[in-house]
Amino acid sequence: MSLAVVKWRQYLCRACGLIYDEQLGDPDSGLAPGTRFEDIPDDWVCPLCGVVKADFEPYAPQLVGSTPAPGTAKSPPVHRRGVVIVGAGIAGWSVVEALRKLDSALPITLVTACAGDRYHKPELSIALSRRLDPVALVREPAADAARRLGVRLLSATHAIGIAPGLRQLRTTRGTLRYTDLVLAQGAKPFLPAEVPAALCWRVNDLAGWSGLQARLSGGARHVAIIGAGMVGCELAEDFVRAGHQVSLLDLAPLPLAQLLPAQAAARMHASLQAQGIAFYGQARISHIGGSAQGLKEIRSADGRSVRCDEIVVASGLHTDGRLARGAGLAFERGIAVDATTLRTSAEHIYALGDCISIAGAPCRFIEPLARQAAVIAAGLLGLPAAQYEHRPPVIRLKTRALSVVLHGQPHADGRWQVLEDSPDVLRMQQHHQDSVVAALDMSVPRQRLAA
């Protein structure tokens, strides 16, 4: 008697893009490998962004040559140059997937300075305590993804110039001609002038995280993190959970001061302290250098000093504008795009993800990427599609000791109102011009309350 082959299914988080694989389960959340999606408790939440089970949808990797939905694909014209995409992060691969859903024959070239392997970047800030390594973080090697989707992959290749009138992209491997160009080049960690690049780590990509992970795998270390924003606070908690000593420094007097009202930031400060994380507020760095016993030393302008083994910079992101400005594209804190089509100021050039700005505001969140990619794909193929509508995403910190969820876009002149304030819960709303513009929920997760 033969055994039927078990078919494992995958489900996609619509909010952050995490994929739940039934075969792997989610052991960190108590779901053993082999747990079917329908058997997951309804109160289970996404381990990355915190949305509930109902916010997941079935996911099937797109295969080149598969039949598009009726009425969506158009016959490819002969001798098309095709689409060239710069950047192989989540944004770039999302455009590839969106195009392949509509057209299985369109020539696509993907140019990336890195290897191009597919991984979920938000996992980097919680990977160390989960004992993950670079191999485990890669969901699909670039070569496999390129083969599956019928993409010409140019890895370890830098884009160095665009000629919009000629529809040409100059790269370190020669000049590419394109019908349409999509810029998905992401953003880079901002490095303060006082911070020597050679003495610090930046973990905005898998390569940077892998180098730091290798250094921390040999035993307990003291890590200093410069920047107490979302990523800085997530990394601080992750490193402590992995057994390391952590110091967290910021210019502001409290962590998350640019995102949260003072009352909420103070609660986050208390949570970090309870975990053993040393927070140094109002720390204006004056010098970073080597110290005795091979340690690194950070000195602040007020005379405070932190000695550590490793330094991580998490002081925000910025878009490298050299490629866009060299092509004459409008640039304002990012590549300026049309709010509804995501087209840049040049014909046949689109952009999405961390590198863009809409009305002067950067758009550096995972949640909108799938919608952005779908709009661009339809536009490139001349198909009718809903216009892109940018809305502030729900912000969920991946901190386990204290859940932080922010809805809406806080206003600089808004007035915060406390709705609930208890030892385990803080709920606030912000009002601006007689309207509620933001809502904040902070709570101790139930697992910690039970413990």
Side-chain angles (χ1 to χ4, degrees), residues 378-419:
L380 293 182
L381 296 171
L383 301 174
Q387 294 182 328
Y388 178 70
E389 180 182 354
H390 187 69
R391 51 183 181 267
V394 178
I395 298 175
R396 296 178 174 87
L397 261 71
K398 296 185 288 295
T399 46
R400 300 188 201 177
L402 184 64
S403 170
V404 180
V405 182
L406 179 64
H407 299 260
Q409 182 67 51
H411 197 279
D413 299 326
R415 175 177 56 85
W416 284 96
Q417 174 189 6
V418 176
L419 303 180

Side-chain angles (χ1 to χ4, degrees), residues 228-229 233 248 250 252-258 260-261 264-266 268-270 272 279:
C233 288
L248 183 60
D250 199 276
L254 292 169
L256 295 172
Q258 294 185 341
L260 303 180
M268 174 55 72
H269 183 201
L272 295 173
F279 177 73

